[in-house]
Amino acid sequence: MAERHGGRGRADVPAGLERRFGAVLRAEGVDPEAERTAVAAFRAARDAGAHDTRTRARDDWRRSR
């Protein structure tokens, strides 16, 4: 992330934290049971209407129509 900010980095982010997060996020081998549980939770929330809220205009990055 420091590269995206002109190499300055951020004082409040411990050194190497982003590298470690990246390694965890790219780790191979997703637990199939955990994935099924997460997808089931998402679908249950969606079916219960939890995702009916419209996107705020400032959060919608799609091109204008």
Side-chain angles (χ1 to χ4, degrees):
M1 181 176 257
E3 295 81 22
R4 288 185 239 145
H5 294 286
R8 293 185 302 273
R10 292 179 44 181
D12 60 336
V13 178
L17 181 62
E18 291 175 3
R19 181 183 46 77
R20 291 192 303 264
F21 269 133
V24 169
L25 292 173
R26 289 185 300 271
E28 294 185 30
V30 175
D31 177 12
E33 184 59 31
E35 184 176 14
R36 280 192 288 276
T37 301
V39 171
F42 171 82
R43 289 178 177 160
R46 180 193 61 198
D47 294 345
H51 300 291
D52 288 343
T53 307
R54 289 182 40 91
T55 302
R56 297 181 302 180
R58 67 178 180 225
D59 292 335
D60 188 353
W61 290 24
R62 295 176 292 183
R63 278 187 271 183
S64 299
R65 295 179 192 173

mmCIF file of all heavy atoms in Angstrom, residues 11-39:
data_model
loop_
_atom_site.group_PDB
_atom_site.id
_atom_site.type_symbol
_atom_site.label_atom_id
_atom_site.label_comp_id
_atom_site.label_asym_id
_atom_site.label_seq_id
_atom_site.Cartn_x
_atom_site.Cartn_y
_atom_site.Cartn_z
ATOM 1 N N ALA A 11 2.242 5.876 9.246
ATOM 2 C CA ALA A 11 2.888 5.714 10.545
ATOM 3 C C ALA A 11 2.106 4.770 11.451
ATOM 4 O O ALA A 11 2.682 4.129 12.314
ATOM 5 C CB ALA A 11 3.037 7.075 11.214
ATOM 6 N N ASP A 12 0.773 4.675 11.254
ATOM 7 C CA ASP A 12 -0.045 3.860 12.151
ATOM 8 C C ASP A 12 -0.152 2.400 11.719
ATOM 9 O O ASP A 12 -0.814 1.620 12.372
ATOM 10 C CB ASP A 12 -1.432 4.470 12.305
ATOM 11 C CG ASP A 12 -2.183 4.590 10.986
ATOM 12 O OD1 ASP A 12 -1.523 4.641 9.936
ATOM 13 O OD2 ASP A 12 -3.418 4.648 11.020
ATOM 14 N N VAL A 13 0.511 2.009 10.623
ATOM 15 C CA VAL A 13 0.488 0.625 10.153
ATOM 16 C C VAL A 13 1.845 -0.004 10.445
ATOM 17 O O VAL A 13 2.863 0.460 9.933
ATOM 18 C CB VAL A 13 0.188 0.550 8.636
ATOM 19 C CG1 VAL A 13 0.225 -0.885 8.157
ATOM 20 C CG2 VAL A 13 -1.158 1.181 8.327
ATOM 21 N N PRO A 14 1.865 -1.049 11.278
ATOM 22 C CA PRO A 14 3.146 -1.693 11.593
ATOM 23 C C PRO A 14 3.846 -2.212 10.337
ATOM 24 O O PRO A 14 3.203 -2.667 9.398
ATOM 25 C CB PRO A 14 2.743 -2.857 12.504
ATOM 26 C CG PRO A 14 1.403 -2.497 13.032
ATOM 27 C CD PRO A 14 0.746 -1.663 11.971
ATOM 28 N N ALA A 15 5.151 -2.139 10.337
ATOM 29 C CA ALA A 15 5.939 -2.586 9.191
ATOM 30 C C ALA A 15 5.641 -4.050 8.871
ATOM 31 O O ALA A 15 5.586 -4.897 9.758
ATOM 32 C CB ALA A 15 7.422 -2.412 9.492
ATOM 33 N N GLY A 16 5.420 -4.339 7.607
ATOM 34 C CA GLY A 16 5.192 -5.710 7.165
ATOM 35 C C GLY A 16 3.764 -6.196 7.317
ATOM 36 O O GLY A 16 3.441 -7.296 6.884
ATOM 37 N N LEU A 17 2.891 -5.401 7.921
ATOM 38 C CA LEU A 17 1.517 -5.845 8.155
ATOM 39 C C LEU A 17 0.790 -6.128 6.833
ATOM 40 O O LEU A 17 0.137 -7.157 6.695
ATOM 41 C CB LEU A 17 0.746 -4.809 8.963
ATOM 42 C CG LEU A 17 -0.697 -5.161 9.286
ATOM 43 C CD1 LEU A 17 -0.760 -6.413 10.150
ATOM 44 C CD2 LEU A 17 -1.392 -4.003 9.974
ATOM 45 N N GLU A 18 0.928 -5.224 5.878
ATOM 46 C CA GLU A 18 0.250 -5.421 4.601
ATOM 47 C C GLU A 18 0.778 -6.661 3.882
ATOM 48 O O GLU A 18 0.014 -7.389 3.261
ATOM 49 C CB GLU A 18 0.395 -4.183 3.736
ATOM 50 C CG GLU A 18 -0.388 -3.019 4.300
ATOM 51 C CD GLU A 18 -0.165 -1.742 3.531
ATOM 52 O OE1 GLU A 18 0.565 -1.770 2.519
ATOM 53 O OE2 GLU A 18 -0.721 -0.722 3.948
ATOM 54 N N ARG A 19 2.080 -6.908 3.973
ATOM 55 C CA ARG A 19 2.653 -8.099 3.348
ATOM 56 C C ARG A 19 2.066 -9.356 3.979
ATOM 57 O O ARG A 19 1.718 -10.305 3.298
ATOM 58 C CB ARG A 19 4.183 -8.077 3.498
ATOM 59 C CG ARG A 19 4.872 -9.272 2.858
ATOM 60 C CD ARG A 19 6.370 -9.255 3.095
ATOM 61 N NE ARG A 19 6.777 -8.972 4.469
ATOM 62 C CZ ARG A 19 6.721 -9.874 5.461
ATOM 63 N NH1 ARG A 19 6.279 -11.075 5.231
ATOM 64 N NH2 ARG A 19 7.111 -9.544 6.675
ATOM 65 N N ARG A 20 1.945 -9.345 5.311
ATOM 66 C CA ARG A 20 1.383 -10.513 6.001
ATOM 67 C C ARG A 20 -0.090 -10.700 5.659
ATOM 68 O O ARG A 20 -0.544 -11.826 5.459
ATOM 69 C CB ARG A 20 1.591 -10.385 7.504
ATOM 70 C CG ARG A 20 3.064 -10.506 7.887
ATOM 71 C CD ARG A 20 3.270 -10.666 9.375
ATOM 72 N NE ARG A 20 2.703 -9.609 10.178
ATOM 73 C CZ ARG A 20 3.372 -8.545 10.633
ATOM 74 N NH1 ARG A 20 4.642 -8.403 10.339
ATOM 75 N NH2 ARG A 20 2.768 -7.647 11.373
ATOM 76 N N PHE A 21 -0.853 -9.592 5.604
ATOM 77 C CA PHE A 21 -2.259 -9.700 5.200
ATOM 78 C C PHE A 21 -2.359 -10.287 3.799
ATOM 79 O O PHE A 21 -3.190 -11.146 3.527
ATOM 80 C CB PHE A 21 -2.945 -8.329 5.213
ATOM 81 C CG PHE A 21 -3.588 -7.989 6.516
ATOM 82 C CD1 PHE A 21 -3.388 -6.747 7.077
ATOM 83 C CD2 PHE A 21 -4.406 -8.883 7.179
ATOM 84 C CE1 PHE A 21 -3.970 -6.401 8.274
ATOM 85 C CE2 PHE A 21 -5.002 -8.560 8.372
ATOM 86 C CZ PHE A 21 -4.784 -7.308 8.927
ATOM 87 N N GLY A 22 -1.527 -9.805 2.902
ATOM 88 C CA GLY A 22 -1.532 -10.307 1.536
ATOM 89 C C GLY A 22 -1.247 -11.793 1.477
ATOM 90 O O GLY A 22 -1.891 -12.537 0.737
ATOM 91 N N ALA A 23 -0.296 -12.243 2.265
ATOM 92 C CA ALA A 23 0.045 -13.671 2.280
ATOM 93 C C ALA A 23 -1.132 -14.504 2.782
ATOM 94 O O ALA A 23 -1.421 -15.575 2.238
ATOM 95 C CB ALA A 23 1.278 -13.907 3.165
ATOM 96 N N VAL A 24 -1.818 -14.014 3.785
ATOM 97 C CA VAL A 24 -2.977 -14.742 4.307
ATOM 98 C C VAL A 24 -4.106 -14.769 3.284
ATOM 99 O O VAL A 24 -4.734 -15.803 3.061
ATOM 100 C CB VAL A 24 -3.463 -14.101 5.631
ATOM 101 C CG1 VAL A 24 -4.802 -14.666 6.054
ATOM 102 C CG2 VAL A 24 -2.438 -14.300 6.725
ATOM 103 N N LEU A 25 -4.350 -13.644 2.643
ATOM 104 C CA LEU A 25 -5.442 -13.574 1.674
ATOM 105 C C LEU A 25 -5.175 -14.438 0.444
ATOM 106 O O LEU A 25 -6.103 -14.922 -0.186
ATOM 107 C CB LEU A 25 -5.682 -12.124 1.250
ATOM 108 C CG LEU A 25 -6.239 -11.222 2.346
ATOM 109 C CD1 LEU A 25 -6.276 -9.779 1.870
ATOM 110 C CD2 LEU A 25 -7.628 -11.679 2.758
ATOM 111 N N ARG A 26 -3.904 -14.637 0.121
ATOM 112 C CA ARG A 26 -3.561 -15.448 -1.052
ATOM 113 C C ARG A 26 -3.243 -16.893 -0.692
ATOM 114 O O ARG A 26 -2.894 -17.679 -1.561
ATOM 115 C CB ARG A 26 -2.374 -14.817 -1.769
ATOM 116 C CG ARG A 26 -2.709 -13.528 -2.475
ATOM 117 C CD ARG A 26 -1.528 -13.013 -3.253
ATOM 118 N NE ARG A 26 -0.376 -12.738 -2.419
ATOM 119 C CZ ARG A 26 -0.127 -11.577 -1.817
ATOM 120 N NH1 ARG A 26 -0.961 -10.586 -1.961
ATOM 121 N NH2 ARG A 26 0.955 -11.404 -1.096
ATOM 122 N N ALA A 27 -3.356 -17.231 0.553
ATOM 123 C CA ALA A 27 -3.020 -18.593 0.990
ATOM 124 C C ALA A 27 -3.873 -19.602 0.225
ATOM 125 O O ALA A 27 -5.058 -19.401 0.015
ATOM 126 C CB ALA A 27 -3.248 -18.738 2.489
ATOM 127 N N GLU A 28 -3.232 -20.657 -0.182
ATOM 128 C CA GLU A 28 -3.952 -21.686 -0.934
ATOM 129 C C GLU A 28 -4.695 -22.598 0.022
ATOM 130 O O GLU A 28 -4.346 -22.744 1.183
ATOM 131 C CB GLU A 28 -2.953 -22.481 -1.767
ATOM 132 C CG GLU A 28 -2.319 -21.628 -2.844
ATOM 133 C CD GLU A 28 -1.437 -22.453 -3.741
ATOM 134 O OE1 GLU A 28 -1.708 -23.653 -3.928
ATOM 135 O OE2 GLU A 28 -0.471 -21.890 -4.256
ATOM 136 N N GLY A 29 -5.711 -23.221 -0.491
ATOM 137 C CA GLY A 29 -6.442 -24.199 0.293
ATOM 138 C C GLY A 29 -7.533 -23.599 1.148
ATOM 139 O O GLY A 29 -7.341 -23.371 2.325
ATOM 140 N N VAL A 30 -8.660 -23.303 0.529
ATOM 141 C CA VAL A 30 -9.813 -22.811 1.272
ATOM 142 C C VAL A 30 -10.522 -23.999 1.902
ATOM 143 O O VAL A 30 -10.707 -25.031 1.261
ATOM 144 C CB VAL A 30 -10.778 -22.053 0.324
ATOM 145 C CG1 VAL A 30 -12.038 -21.630 1.054
ATOM 146 C CG2 VAL A 30 -10.077 -20.858 -0.293
ATOM 147 N N ASP A 31 -10.914 -23.856 3.145
ATOM 148 C CA ASP A 31 -11.648 -24.902 3.847
ATOM 149 C C ASP A 31 -13.044 -24.998 3.222
ATOM 150 O O ASP A 31 -13.833 -24.057 3.320
ATOM 151 C CB ASP A 31 -11.750 -24.552 5.329
ATOM 152 C CG ASP A 31 -12.558 -25.558 6.126
ATOM 153 O OD1 ASP A 31 -12.859 -26.641 5.600
ATOM 154 O OD2 ASP A 31 -12.888 -25.240 7.286
ATOM 155 N N PRO A 32 -13.360 -26.098 2.548
ATOM 156 C CA PRO A 32 -14.652 -26.214 1.859
ATOM 157 C C PRO A 32 -15.850 -26.047 2.796
ATOM 158 O O PRO A 32 -16.845 -25.426 2.425
ATOM 159 C CB PRO A 32 -14.632 -27.627 1.264
ATOM 160 C CG PRO A 32 -13.205 -28.029 1.248
ATOM 161 C CD PRO A 32 -12.537 -27.280 2.359
ATOM 162 N N GLU A 33 -15.748 -26.556 4.003
ATOM 163 C CA GLU A 33 -16.862 -26.429 4.954
ATOM 164 C C GLU A 33 -17.058 -24.970 5.364
ATOM 165 O O GLU A 33 -18.179 -24.489 5.466
ATOM 166 C CB GLU A 33 -16.641 -27.305 6.181
ATOM 167 C CG GLU A 33 -17.800 -27.295 7.144
ATOM 168 C CD GLU A 33 -19.119 -27.758 6.522
ATOM 169 O OE1 GLU A 33 -19.099 -28.594 5.599
ATOM 170 O OE2 GLU A 33 -20.174 -27.270 6.960
ATOM 171 N N ALA A 34 -15.968 -24.255 5.572
ATOM 172 C CA ALA A 34 -16.056 -22.838 5.923
ATOM 173 C C ALA A 34 -16.657 -22.035 4.778
ATOM 174 O O ALA A 34 -17.465 -21.129 4.991
ATOM 175 C CB ALA A 34 -14.682 -22.294 6.289
ATOM 176 N N GLU A 35 -16.287 -22.387 3.557
ATOM 177 C CA GLU A 35 -16.833 -21.698 2.396
ATOM 178 C C GLU A 35 -18.337 -21.952 2.282
ATOM 179 O O GLU A 35 -19.121 -21.034 2.052
ATOM 180 C CB GLU A 35 -16.117 -22.153 1.125
ATOM 181 C CG GLU A 35 -16.575 -21.402 -0.110
ATOM 182 C CD GLU A 35 -15.781 -21.795 -1.345
ATOM 183 O OE1 GLU A 35 -15.069 -22.826 -1.306
ATOM 184 O OE2 GLU A 35 -15.881 -21.080 -2.332
ATOM 185 N N ARG A 36 -18.751 -23.200 2.467
ATOM 186 C CA ARG A 36 -20.184 -23.525 2.414
ATOM 187 C C ARG A 36 -20.957 -22.771 3.496
ATOM 188 O O ARG A 36 -22.042 -22.250 3.253
ATOM 189 C CB ARG A 36 -20.398 -25.023 2.573
ATOM 190 C CG ARG A 36 -20.163 -25.819 1.302
ATOM 191 C CD ARG A 36 -20.659 -27.251 1.441
ATOM 192 N NE ARG A 36 -19.810 -28.050 2.321
ATOM 193 C CZ ARG A 36 -18.700 -28.656 1.952
ATOM 194 N NH1 ARG A 36 -18.289 -28.562 0.699
ATOM 195 N NH2 ARG A 36 -17.987 -29.362 2.799
ATOM 196 N N THR A 37 -20.383 -22.691 4.686
ATOM 197 C CA THR A 37 -21.037 -21.980 5.781
ATOM 198 C C THR A 37 -21.178 -20.497 5.463
ATOM 199 O O THR A 37 -22.234 -19.898 5.703
ATOM 200 C CB THR A 37 -20.225 -22.160 7.086
ATOM 201 O OG1 THR A 37 -20.129 -23.551 7.373
ATOM 202 C CG2 THR A 37 -20.875 -21.454 8.246
ATOM 203 N N ALA A 38 -20.132 -19.892 4.914
ATOM 204 C CA ALA A 38 -20.167 -18.469 4.571
ATOM 205 C C ALA A 38 -21.198 -18.195 3.483
ATOM 206 O O ALA A 38 -21.964 -17.225 3.565
ATOM 207 C CB ALA A 38 -18.788 -18.002 4.131
ATOM 208 N N VAL A 39 -21.228 -19.035 2.467
ATOM 209 C CA VAL A 39 -22.193 -18.852 1.385
ATOM 210 C C VAL A 39 -23.616 -19.042 1.906
ATOM 211 O O VAL A 39 -24.524 -18.271 1.568
ATOM 212 C CB VAL A 39 -21.900 -19.809 0.205
ATOM 213 C CG1 VAL A 39 -23.012 -19.787 -0.816
ATOM 214 C CG2 VAL A 39 -20.577 -19.433 -0.445
#
